[in-house]
Amino acid sequence: MQFKHTALGVIARACKALIEPPEKLTPTQWGASNLIVPDGPRSGELWDPDFTPYICEPLDNMGPDSPVNKQSIKKSAQTGFTVMAIVGVGHSIDCDPAGGIMLVQPTQDALDKFIRDKFNPAIENTKSLKQKVAPQVARSGEGSTTYNKRYPGGSLAMVIANSTASLRSITKKRRIKDEASEYPDDLDGQGSPHAMIAARGISFLADGDWKETNISTPTVVGSCYIDAQFKAGDQRYWHVDCPGCREPFVFKFGANFKFNESFPYQAHYVTPCCGTVIEGHEKNDLVRKGSKHAEPRADGRPNGWIPTAPGAGKDRSYHFDALSSTLVPWDEIAKEWIAAQTNPSALKAFYNLTLGEAYEVKGDAPDHVRLMERREDYRKGYIPPRGLMLTAAADVQMRGIYVEVVAWAPNRESWVVFTDVLEGDTTNANAGAFLKLAELYDKRWPDAFGGARQVDAFAVDSGFRSHIVYQWCRDRMLAFAVDGRDGWNKPPIGTPSLVDIDLDGKKIGTGKIWPVGTWSLKGHWYEDLRREGAAAGHEVDPPGYCHFGTWLDEIYFRQVTAEYLAEKNVRGRKTKAWFPRGKEENHFLDCRVYNLALAEHLGVSSMTEDEWKILARERAPTITQGDFFAPKPLAVQVARPVTAAPAVENEEPQPPAAPPPRQEAQAESNWLGRDLGGWLNR
Ligand SMILES: [Zn+2]
């Protein structure tokens, strides 16, 4: 019977509304008929559950009719789960307000961004929410505030994970913890934010009327909250049915995901069951259909969630990544994977943000004796031919300053150009060791082309003698007062904050302090140290390879490998942290970590080939451009006559010649087509 568009249908619906209580909407149903998408490609449109059907089950778990209390979602970026949180909040405000909601974000920045870009636009554009949420009224106890929204029957508190006061005072029936793996392990010695939030929920435990949703991209293996929550749960994956044989499987990054090493990537999937090939353009359709083997949904929408580790008493846990996301094309995944191969920080980002997996940081220090064996005979204080960028970093001690100067090639190869311990008093920015530091700051370092360059950036650790360091850096354009930060999800170098500079109890001005995420950078440093190059018999030095001069002594090598990664117990929760090896000092390790942060900041791993070419034209005028970007032609280049004219931009490509036997020093000078001005000692 088709009533829908007839007069009879209208009457039938009206009667139904009179005799039945208003129909209870699931969060998915509510979202589909109410929520206006706040941002992204479908911004301004009514939310469509069929576009990302994998959202529906965890979303409905947030509703009052679901028996699920707690769920955890380990996910990659760009999956649509942030919208899920917003739909869940909106449904509660409009349909089930009692008990209220607490929504947690890791930092003030993250919270403000969430409110500005997602929450406020969603409220503003969604009629049913705009009608209910009280506007912000100045100086009134009745209205909403930026972080606290009032509506009939309840309220929503939006807080940050490092605010002990908020976490200890707010009691809500529903809690949503967004980016839960980024919360600090311990708050002021009082335990983890997760434990504090759980403690506030105890009053709801007795009658079972509570809800907790954890959502996060993961961080590193052994230290990741969402990873641990996922493993403790029933581990649901979104399955699809093979078009060839109808067997269910999960799209996984691995042997079945195939692509070309360069453009066009032609990424496709070969099903594990019968080898049916699924092309990139067929992915979204398959994902949206889910699997016939999954439990059917009451509303008839597709479902693909199948628990892979079911068990009595287990909470629901979900994993979802870019392979299955309808928002990320497979070619894009292939491209990112290839680009991340030579860069540990990009590789960590790929695991976390694309695969939605925790990244394994190899924290055992490389053997310093083996590193010493591969030292190369180059001169201290000289910039190598391909060292287009130059950074310096300093670690301030009681009676001296450790300094390391590093040169960087476009493929992230690095050379230690200079190290020293500047002895002297460190209590005055204009005297003692800081004067010597100023000399290094001003110094023009000779390059291989007869020129000389100042460093591009100079980092000084402000953890000790902070205000002296702020002052020293404030007076110098290229100087960065840096401050190492713990934690696995901190960027190499973050947004600077302003600090007052106080000397002898007097404010003498304002400086900038730059946060550096040291934990991941240390892991990336060790990964780069493990790369093997020509010294180990390989044809070329790989991207990220670290070069050391013969003039570096054992103390340097002991220090740059002075820490190791180990498990640590923070109030009953296992996490991973760096520890010193015995009583080893680690000042040159700190210097290198800050140099790595500066390299990232300057764009060593993100600049385009064209940007490097511009820099190369200016700083390395006589090297063939290609040599910077493809190490392999180096051998071909060597085969040219020594008298070859310096390469110019539009030079005809040379026919490749058979590579001659490799002779290090000889090769290096021929390759440049000119005398290196004493760059090589031999
Ligand atoms: Zn099959």
Side-chain angles (χ1 to χ4, degrees):
M1 204 180 307
Q2 254 292 13
F3 276 146
K4 222 171 171 183
H5 300 293
T6 64
L8 200 58
V10 173
I11 295 161
R13 277 204 305 279
C15 294
K16 193 171 177 238
L18 282 177
I19 53 173
E20 283 176 18
E23 198 188 343
K24 267 193 182 172
L25 296 178
T26 63
T28 296
Q29 288 163 339
W30 178 87
S33 49
N34 284 274
L35 190 99
I36 303 299
V37 178
D39 68 345
R42 301 168 78 86
S43 154
E45 294 173 31
L46 193 60
W47 181 65
D48 179 2
D50 296 329
F51 189 65
T52 52
Y54 42 84
I55 300 294
C56 299
E57 180 180 305
L59 170 61
D60 285 345
N61 292 341
M62 297 167 89
D65 296 330
S66 157
V68 173
N69 286 122
K70 181 179 164 184
Q71 61 176 342
S72 297
I73 297 150
K74 180 170 86 158
K75 60 162 195 88
S76 62
Q78 289 184 279
T79 46
F81 279 97
T82 308
V83 177
M84 178 194 84
I86 289 177
V87 180
V89 168
H91 174 264
S92 171
I93 291 175
D94 197 25
C95 306
D96 180 38
I101 317 162
M102 169 152 112
L103 190 144
V104 190
Q105 292 282 350
T107 60
Q108 192 66 47
D109 270 3
L111 179 59
D112 289 341
K113 202 166 175 296
F114 173 80
I115 293 176
R116 187 189 64 227
D117 298 346
K118 299 185 187 283
F119 186 77
N120 282 350
I123 298 287
E124 200 54 39
N125 297 323
T126 302
K127 227 191 205 162
S128 51
L129 296 180
K130 192 172 165 61
Q131 284 167 352
K132 291 202 171 165
V133 176
Q136 276 173 241
V137 185
R139 270 187 271 264
S140 158
E142 301 296 302
S144 295
T145 65
T146 310
Y147 304 113
N148 195 32
K149 303 294 175 194
R150 290 170 183 243
Y151 45 87
S155 69
L156 160 72
M158 293 183 276
V159 300
I160 55 172
N162 50 16
S163 164
T164 315
S166 305
L167 299 184
R168 284 185 174 277
S169 63
I170 296 169
T171 306
K172 303 282 182 196
K173 190 166 94 176
R174 298 170 199 78
R175 41 189 193 251
I176 300 167
K177 295 188 273 173
D178 198 13
E179 289 307 342
S181 279
E182 288 184 44
Y183 300 178
D185 287 322
D186 186 48
L187 282 185
D188 316 323
Q190 300 179 54
S192 87
H194 299 290
M196 286 184 200
I197 294 166
R200 295 304 300 177
I202 279 175
S203 55
F204 295 106
L205 282 182
D207 55 2
D209 193 12
W210 60 282
K211 296 276 176 186
E212 176 174 312
T213 294
N214 295 291
I215 312 171
S216 195
T217 48
T219 53
V220 306
V221 172
S223 204
C224 178
Y225 179 78
I226 204 73
D227 197 42
Q229 295 293 314
F230 174 76
K231 285 178 179 146
D234 67 2
Q235 306 184 24
R236 289 167 185 242
Y237 290 86
W238 184 263
H239 289 66
V240 299
D241 290 341
C242 173
C245 70
R246 306 286 153 206
E247 276 295 301
F249 68 96
V250 180
F251 286 126
K252 280 189 176 142
F253 189 82
N256 294 81
F257 182 59
K258 316 256 184 203
F259 51 86
N260 297 332
E261 294 282 306
S262 59
F263 183 85
Y265 304 105
Q266 295 174 322
H268 60 279
Y269 205 88
V270 179
T271 64
C273 34
C274 63
T276 298
V277 172
I278 297 165
E279 299 294 344
H281 66 268
E282 296 170 315
K283 157 188 161 180
N284 282 3
D285 198 37
L286 268 180
V287 168
R288 287 182 183 136
K289 276 190 209 146
S291 168
K292 295 273 179 286
H293 300 262
E295 201 181 315
R297 289 176 54 83
D299 63 6
R301 291 184 191 282
N303 188 24
W305 291 116
I306 297 177
T308 60
K314 281 187 179 178
D315 291 317
R316 289 201 185 182
S317 64
Y318 297 86
H319 177 262
F320 197 78
D321 68 24
L323 265 290
S324 299
S325 173
T326 54
L327 305 165
V328 186
W330 279 345
D331 271 8
E332 189 60 30
I333 297 170
K335 184 179 156 192
E336 279 177 20
W337 168 252
I338 292 159
Q341 284 316 292
T342 56
N343 184 347
S345 92
L347 200 59
K348 176 176 180 288
F350 182 83
Y351 271 81
N352 295 165
L353 303 178
T354 302
L355 300 188
E357 292 292 357
Y359 182 67
E360 174 94 58
V361 177
K362 293 188 196 79
D364 45 325
D367 183 55
H368 77 273
V369 177
R370 295 292 305 278
L371 288 176
M372 281 184 79
E373 286 167 7
R374 74 182 211 201
R375 285 177 300 180
E376 299 159 51
D377 192 8
Y378 64 76
R379 257 171 88 175
K380 183 177 183 178
Y382 284 75
I383 305 173
R386 292 191 297 127
L388 290 187
M389 291 269 207
L390 194 64
T391 64
D395 187 34
V396 180
Q397 297 297 312
M398 184 95 78
R399 266 176 289 277
I401 302 176
Y402 287 76
V403 194
E404 186 197 38
V405 180
V406 178
W408 304 89
N411 67 352
R412 293 181 53 260
E413 259 178 85
S414 68
W415 292 261
V416 183
V417 167
F418 180 83
T419 59
D420 203 0
V421 186
L422 312 173
E423 288 177 6
D425 176 59
T426 55
T427 56
N428 186 330
N430 298 305
F434 276 102
L435 269 187
K436 296 180 183 171
L437 194 65
E439 272 173 42
L440 289 181
Y441 176 90
D442 292 325
K443 183 177 165 72
R444 300 302 190 260
W445 303 86
D447 67 18
F449 310 95
R453 304 194 323 248
Q454 194 179 4
V455 294
D456 295 296
F458 205 120
V460 187
D461 187 354
S462 64
F464 184 63
R465 308 272 195 234
S466 309
H467 292 268
I468 317 272
V469 172
Y470 301 153
Q471 185 193 6
W472 191 90
C473 291
R474 181 199 58 180
D475 298 339
R476 291 172 176 81
M477 281 279 291
L478 306 172
F480 293 69
V482 290
D483 185 35
R485 299 286 161 87
D486 292 351
W488 290 110
N489 245 9
K490 301 283 189 300
I493 193 159
T495 315
S497 52
L498 294 176
V499 279
D500 286 342
I501 307 175
D502 298 316
L503 286 181
D504 305 321
K506 251 185 15 206
K507 183 184 165 183
I508 62 153
T510 311
K512 256 188 202 172
I513 178 166
W514 297 77
V516 169
T518 58
W519 283 18
S520 292
L521 284 173
K522 280 176 192 168
H524 302 162
W525 165 236
Y526 284 179
E527 274 172 65
D528 280 339
L529 280 183
R530 280 191 206 92
R531 294 176 198 280
E532 293 192 335
H538 296 268
E539 194 186 337
V540 290
D541 296 324
Y545 187 76
C546 308
H547 299 265
F548 304 108
T550 39
W551 43 270
L552 285 162
D553 61 12
E554 192 182 345
I555 293 173
Y556 173 84
F557 289 95
R558 295 187 80 96
Q559 290 204 2
V560 294
T561 56
E563 295 186 15
Y564 69 100
L565 193 62
E567 214 160 65
K568 176 182 166 184
N569 229 315
V570 182
R571 296 183 164 256
R573 197 169 99 69
K574 274 186 186 148
T575 182
K576 274 186 166 178
W578 292 99
F579 293 92
R581 241 180 12 181
K583 289 197 173 70
E584 210 76 76
E585 296 198 315
N586 62 354
H587 312 303
F588 282 125
L589 175 62
D590 286 343
C591 288
R592 176 53 73 122
V593 163
Y594 292 130
N595 269 316
L596 280 160
L598 289 181
E600 284 293 313
H601 186 67
L602 292 171
V604 167
S605 57
S606 60
M607 268 164 62
T608 64
E609 198 165 317
D610 283 342
E611 288 168 334
W612 279 113
K613 279 181 177 168
I614 292 167
L615 201 63
R617 217 168 288 150
E618 184 191 315
R619 296 185 169 182
T622 51
I623 296 190
T624 307
Q625 300 283 353
D627 295 332
F628 285 103
F629 307 104
K632 277 192 181 142
L634 196 141
V636 177
Q637 193 75 13
V638 171
R640 288 188 188 178
V642 180
T643 50
V648 288
E649 185 63 359
N650 51 3
E651 191 188 19
E652 287 281 285
Q654 299 283 321
R662 193 183 166 92
Q663 290 177 331
E664 283 300 315
Q666 188 67 19
E668 197 90 3
S669 71
N670 285 358
W671 165 47
L672 283 163
R674 54 172 286 171
D675 179 35
L676 286 172
W679 161 245
L680 292 161
N681 280 343
R682 54 189 169 185

